[in-house]
Amino acid sequence: MRTWALFGFLVCGCATQFPLPMTAAQLVQYNSGPALVAYLAQSDASPTVCDLRALSPHVPRMTADMRAALVDGMVDGKINPVLWRRCADVLLERLPRNEIPPLFDELERAYRKILANSDLEKNPSVAGRLATLHRLYLDRPAGLDSNPSARATWFEDLRAALAKGQLGPVAAPFAQELVATVDVENGRWQGRAVDAAMMDALAASGNEMTLTRFVERLPSPELREQAQRRIIRIHIALSPFQEVRDGSAAVEDTVIREGHNRIALKEHPLLSATLDPSKTVARDVLVRQRVWAQNATLLAYVASRSTLSVLPEVSFRGALWAKLQKISRPVSVCEHWKNLDPSPCIAADDVSLDNPVAYRDSGGDFHFKDEVGVSEVVALAKNDKFVLPVRIGGRPAVSLNWGLSYERPDDLAFNETSSGRVGPRLKIRVQRPTATHFVFSVSAPQGTYAVVVDEANIHDFHIVSRGAPGSSGATGSSGSPGAAGSECSDGERGGDGGAGEDGGRGGDGGEVFVEVACGGASCPDTVDLLQQIILSVGGPGGAGGSGGAGGPGGPGGSSRSPSTHINSYGESVTDDQGCSAGANGSAGSNGASGSPGRPGRPGKVAFRLVPAEGT
Amino acid sequence: MLEREDAAQEADVKPLRWEPWKGSHALRPPKPTPAPLAALGLARWCAAGEGAREARGVGRLAGRPEVPAGGKAGGLPTRLALGVLLASVGCAMPYAYSFHSENRDARPSAKPNQREVLDDADVRAEILVDPTDARAILLDLTNKTDQVLQVEWAKITMTGSDGSSTSPRPHVDLGWILPGTTMSARLVPFALPPSGDRAAGYQGSRFELVVPMIVRREPKSYRYSFVVDVRPI
């Protein structure tokens, strides 16, 4: 079978198709290069699946198959370059050192491929992909690179191509910048050794571009730190915070030491906070429940997009702004240390989200579990919205409210299967934590099941205790075969079949006891509604047994040939005329079929009003 | 950032190919591939499209078709016949792009090849988008404030209405702009197809150049919107 599947794959050359949307947990199950590409090609996909040490589901290791697929996925335009870059960055941070050169070899292969693509000179998307690879290579952490021999050949080729003018106007600047970067790695820039005086001159002209090259590529940590300090000085000079400019030396040291200028919230308590809507991600959440497995997948949708996708990550950097006591301007969450931002800021771990499925990753961004258990499904139903209350330093700050809906779940139908037996006895508790959600908790002999149903879907959802079908009636006995006819005589008629047995009575529906906590909703209306969807149903009667088949008629007797003899005169004399064969006997009649059994009766469904939990 | 895919890529004439993955020995133009047109003496005519375009001034903003230097335009029947022949053999039609600012306060360029001027109280921007010849965006920024103005040169983006996005950067490293001074940047790369259906497809499309700056110590994104006029030349 597998051989045929492989053969088919090779013949049609088809790419592997995956059901979408694919959650991070599903990606981990697939654990292949094509699956990684399919996941990252989705809207709102999270690059943390590339983080080998992430708390959230992630690829267990970066195999050669995944490495090649990941690089090709971006080069072929399947993965958004920005998302791809974030994935590549986290890989460079987390991969074991011995796996870095093969990754760079793969990137180099892709770089050469795009550089040789004639479309590079006329298609901005192709140029954008090359720029993504290019920046990743230039911005890589110090000490990480491809295999030295491969790198040497690559740069030799680049220099030769530049010298011979073989690169077009788009390709050439990329190659020139790569070659120039090698000089920085050797401590030189534009023919001069890089020193403090050169860096001071660059800082005086606000030239962050060159200083950033120095931070990323200079050979010694000391020189790199000197470049960092010059960038911080530029940022301090441009800072709108008076207190930053006034305390420039201390701020510079803080940023060098910690990567940012974190504010101690004990000394500067929160006064108020706002969210910048233009920088705040907003989605609606759909809960897809699997009622029998008692788990669910959380998916996201937006009105502007016709397809469901995975839940996005949420970053509050530049989106959440807080006024703090004794700080002159609103501050946001600290930027990545690479930005060397001296602005006072709130440390990422001072921000929390009160949501049962949200968690913060090591980089300070928030993610959501997309595969959740039933307790989380029920907990979410306590609000009409998918509420994301934000706390800063433990204090309530602002709240994000996304839409929340539950896809209509499968009916909870508890069917007795032993013929004629009464349906399962159910105890159901119904709560209406909000006007839009019904939460059912059903205790049945086989276990307890919880399910949330949106008011919009409530009429299409049912909880049923169903009696077992009645037993089927036995088939009537078959008629006996007719006796065979003797020679020349007919066979006898077969015996009639016996009557089929009547079907058994269906089992009655089980008793159902329903406790209803109406919450804020009208109790009579709620109970009326529940009476239509919580049912106890008798099992159908068993089918009547078929009548027995009539017996076949007996076979007719055999024929007899005439007999003659020759007398003394030589004449033929007939001694016996003989006879023809007897006819077969007719078949017996089939027996009458049994009557179907009576259906079971509905069981009792009793409703009782109870106070809502917590009241 | 979405990627624009165009199935019609193959229609364009391929330039000389550099194939570095084959090693340094392969750094030479590829051998011409045999083509049925060669027998008609047309392959060279088509392949020379890029050079011929430059000779004719093609790619200049709103440029008009010109007779190649020293050449004859040919009579109408000749040109018609050539046109029919070209159409039949699939030579791609060359086009010129003009980017016109859609910003309210923009001063459109008086002539092709001149920059559009966009002004506010703090910054004056003069922009010429040349996606076929220079394959760059030429941007002059004047700081009208009394403080230094920092441009986040590495974060400039050019986004098309089709979702394609690219991040052109200055071809040399630049710093901040002193009060009252102008800084010129040649932002590379920014290239669009010079010919064929893909070029024609850009007619009426829109691009937005986003230039993040720090003006008077406040981060600010300047958004310059353009509508594209594509004309055959």
Side-chain angles (χ1 to χ4, degrees):
Chain A
M1 191 65 172
R2 280 170 55 186
T3 310
W4 278 109
L6 182 62
F7 177 75
F9 179 81
L10 291 174
V11 166
C12 69
C14 312
T16 314
Q17 298 288 319
F18 297 94
L20 298 175
M22 181 196 296
T23 64
Q26 288 164 341
L27 163 64
V28 174
Q29 286 172 355
Y30 291 125
N31 192 24
S32 71
L36 179 61
V37 173
Y39 172 83
L40 291 173
Q42 300 175 109
S43 303
D44 292 335
S46 168
T48 50
V49 298
C50 307
D51 183 350
L52 304 184
R53 287 184 238 155
L55 298 170
S56 52
H58 55 85
V59 293
R61 58 188 294 264
M62 188 53 48
T63 59
D65 152 64
M66 279 193 190
R67 217 164 36 225
L70 180 66
V71 174
D72 288 343
M74 196 278 289
V75 171
D76 297 341
K78 292 176 187 161
I79 304 174
N80 175 323
V82 175
L83 176 69
W84 183 90
R85 171 66 195 268
R86 294 182 60 199
C87 171
D89 278 341
V90 78
L91 276 175
L92 293 182
E93 210 173 305
R94 304 293 204 198
L95 275 179
R97 295 290 274 207
N98 64 330
E99 291 184 29
I100 297 286
L103 177 62
F104 275 109
D105 290 346
E106 203 67 58
L107 295 170
E108 186 190 305
R109 176 187 61 80
Y111 197 105
R112 287 168 177 260
K113 185 177 165 187
I114 298 183
L115 212 55
N117 181 349
S118 62
D119 246 14
L120 173 63
E121 297 295 325
K122 51 199 174 190
N123 186 335
S125 293
V126 177
R129 290 170 212 161
L130 181 64
T132 304
L133 291 172
H134 184 79
R135 298 294 353 149
L136 176 70
Y137 187 73
L138 293 188
D139 303 346
R140 73 194 187 280
L144 304 185
D145 211 333
S146 53
N147 289 306
S149 60
R151 184 174 187 261
T153 309
W154 183 28
F155 276 81
E156 196 180 305
D157 290 347
L158 283 174
R159 286 180 211 276
L162 282 169
K164 292 176 183 173
Q166 288 173 317
L167 299 178
V170 173
F174 285 109
Q176 282 158 353
E177 191 175 16
L178 274 186
V179 170
T181 299
V182 175
D183 288 347
V184 181
E185 289 172 353
N186 292 322
R188 299 186 68 78
W189 179 247
Q190 293 180 339
R192 284 179 51 204
V194 176
D195 55 17
M198 179 191 280
M199 289 196 243
D200 284 339
L202 289 167
S205 63
N207 191 336
E208 277 186 62
M209 293 183 79
T210 306
L211 286 168
T212 303
R213 293 181 198 282
F214 292 177
V215 168
E216 286 158 353
R217 301 267 62 88
L218 279 174
S220 80
E222 294 76 20
L223 277 174
R224 291 200 294 271
E225 184 187 311
Q226 288 304 312
Q228 285 179 331
R229 286 187 179 276
R230 290 348 183 253
I231 291 179
I232 296 168
R233 285 172 201 168
I234 291 174
H235 291 171
I236 289 174
L238 292 166
S239 176
F241 289 90
Q242 185 67 46
E243 52 268 55
V244 167
R245 300 199 299 274
D246 290 346
S248 57
V251 170
E252 181 182 314
D253 286 341
T254 302
V255 177
I256 285 288
R257 195 174 56 247
E258 298 178 16
H260 43 66
N261 184 13
R262 171 186 184 161
I263 294 294
L265 291 173
K266 281 189 179 167
E267 294 162 29
H268 302 275
L270 175 70
L271 297 174
S272 65
T274 54
L275 283 167
D276 179 346
S278 68
K279 293 184 176 168
T280 307
V281 66
R283 296 287 183 271
D284 292 322
V285 177
L286 179 82
V287 184
R288 177 171 286 170
Q289 298 170 86
R290 291 175 289 275
V291 290
W292 297 110
Q294 288 290 279
N295 58 31
T297 301
L298 304 186
L299 299 167
Y301 63 98
V302 283
S304 57
R305 210 164 53 201
S306 59
T307 53
L308 285 170
S309 193
V310 292
L311 287 172
E313 63 183 10
V314 175
S315 172
F316 288 115
R317 290 188 175 91
L320 174 65
W321 292 93
K323 285 186 179 168
L324 306 178
Q325 218 171 71
K326 294 186 281 181
I327 299 291
S328 63
R329 298 165 55 91
V331 301
S332 191
V333 180
C334 298
E335 294 284 346
H336 191 277
W337 68 267
K338 269 189 161 184
N339 292 358
L340 300 172
D341 185 356
S343 305
C345 60
I346 301 166
D349 53 13
D350 279 333
V351 180
S352 59
L353 263 185
D354 288 346
N355 181 291
V357 300
Y359 61 95
R360 188 179 49 231
D361 69 15
S362 55
D365 294 335
F366 287 91
H367 298 261
F368 301 98
K369 288 197 273 181
D370 38 23
E371 300 292 341
V372 295
V374 70
S375 58
E376 287 148 326
V377 170
V378 171
L380 289 175
K382 288 177 182 165
N383 295 297
D384 280 335
K385 300 281 186 184
F386 189 77
V387 184
L388 301 166
V390 183
R391 288 176 176 269
I392 297 176
R395 294 190 181 188
V398 287
S399 188
L400 268 170
N401 293 310
W402 294 357
L404 173 65
S405 56
Y406 288 77
E407 196 172 57
R408 191 185 85 77
D410 289 340
D411 285 344
L412 273 174
F414 298 90
N415 300 330
E416 176 57 59
T417 52
S418 297
S419 295
R421 293 192 63 175
V422 176
R425 178 187 164 100
L426 304 179
K427 189 173 176 188
I428 303 174
R429 185 174 176 84
V430 186
Q431 296 180 79
R432 296 198 70 177
T434 70
T436 52
H437 298 139
F438 289 79
V439 178
F440 298 89
S441 176
V442 184
S443 296
Q446 53 267 62
T448 300
Y449 300 86
V451 61
V452 180
V453 184
D454 270 357
E455 190 189 27
N457 296 324
I458 194 72
H459 291 282
D460 298 324
F461 174 74
H462 299 93
I463 300 176
V464 181
S465 168
R466 183 175 284 119
S471 56
S472 298
T475 304
S477 57
S478 299
S480 56
S486 57
E487 188 180 64
C488 304
S489 55
D490 294 343
E492 290 184 5
R493 178 174 179 274
D496 292 339
E501 195 182 20
D502 290 344
R505 179 170 172 276
D508 292 340
E511 288 181 321
V512 181
F513 298 97
V514 187
E515 290 180 348
V516 185
C518 304
S522 150
C523 275
D525 290 349
T526 302
V527 171
D528 278 353
L529 184 60
L530 294 176
Q531 282 173 336
Q532 296 169 46
I533 65 161
I534 299 179
L535 307 170
S536 173
V537 179
S546 308
S558 57
S559 61
R560 192 177 65 247
S561 306
S563 61
T564 59
H565 70 274
I566 307 297
N567 63 12
S568 54
Y569 302 105
E571 296 165 337
S572 175
V573 178
T574 300
D575 298 321
D576 182 359
Q577 294 291 332
C579 62
S580 56
N584 292 338
S586 58
S589 302
N590 292 337
S593 294
S595 304
R598 282 183 296 128
R601 288 185 299 255
K604 176 178 147 190
V605 181
F607 289 84
R608 186 165 75 92
L609 300 179
V610 296
E613 270 176 14
T615 59
Chain B
M1 186 164 37
L2 300 173
E3 295 292 298
R4 182 177 192 274
E5 291 299 335
D6 196 326
Q9 295 176 2
E10 300 307 316
D12 294 310
V13 178
K14 291 191 175 178
L16 296 183
R17 182 177 286 260
W18 176 57
E19 299 175 313
W21 63 88
K22 290 183 180 171
S24 54
H25 65 278
L27 295 177
R28 65 176 96 87
K31 290 176 183 172
T33 47
L37 299 178
L40 302 172
L42 288 174
R44 189 181 176 80
W45 204 96
C46 290
E50 296 289 314
R53 286 179 64 258
E54 284 184 20
R56 293 195 308 271
V58 174
R60 289 181 185 161
L61 295 185
R64 287 172 57 85
E66 294 171 10
V67 178
K72 286 182 179 179
L76 183 61
T78 311
R79 278 184 283 169
L80 254 179
L82 261 177
V84 170
L85 199 56
L86 286 181
S88 65
V89 299
C91 281
M93 170 81 78
Y95 289 92
Y97 292 82
S98 299
F99 282 67
H100 300 295
S101 173
E102 290 194 306
N103 290 56
R104 228 178 0 177
D105 301 328
R107 264 177 282 155
S109 57
K111 294 178 186 172
N113 253 348
Q114 281 192 340
R115 299 171 190 231
E116 306 239 337
V117 180
L118 300 107
D119 232 351
D120 71 4
D122 298 326
V123 181
R124 172 188 170 95
E126 294 165 75
I127 307 172
L128 176 64
V129 183
D130 183 357
T132 52
D133 283 348
R135 291 175 168 94
I137 301 164
L138 309 177
L139 172 68
D140 288 1
L141 290 174
T142 303
N143 177 5
K144 295 163 75 176
T145 73
D146 56 357
Q147 301 176 29
V148 290
L149 184 152
Q150 181 67 302
V151 180
E152 300 201 57
W153 297 108
K155 294 182 182 171
I156 292 174
T157 58
M158 182 73 149
T159 305
S161 49
D162 59 1
S164 64
S165 182
T166 184
S167 303
R169 292 162 66 105
H171 77 297
V172 294
D173 291 355
L174 298 175
W176 56 35
I177 308 173
L178 294 173
T181 64
T182 299
M183 190 169 275
S184 296
R186 176 189 169 92
L187 304 176
V188 290
F190 182 68
L192 294 176
S195 57
D197 291 345
R198 288 175 59 208
Y202 279 99
Q203 171 61 29
S205 62
R206 288 176 159 72
F207 282 85
E208 185 177 60
L209 178 69
V210 181
V211 185
M213 303 184 204
I214 298 171
V215 182
R216 299 183 195 278
R217 301 185 188 283
E218 295 293 340
K220 203 169 172 183
S221 275
Y222 278 79
R223 295 173 179 274
Y224 304 113
S225 302
F226 300 92
V227 63
V228 182
D229 184 25
V230 183
R231 290 185 190 167
I233 47 179

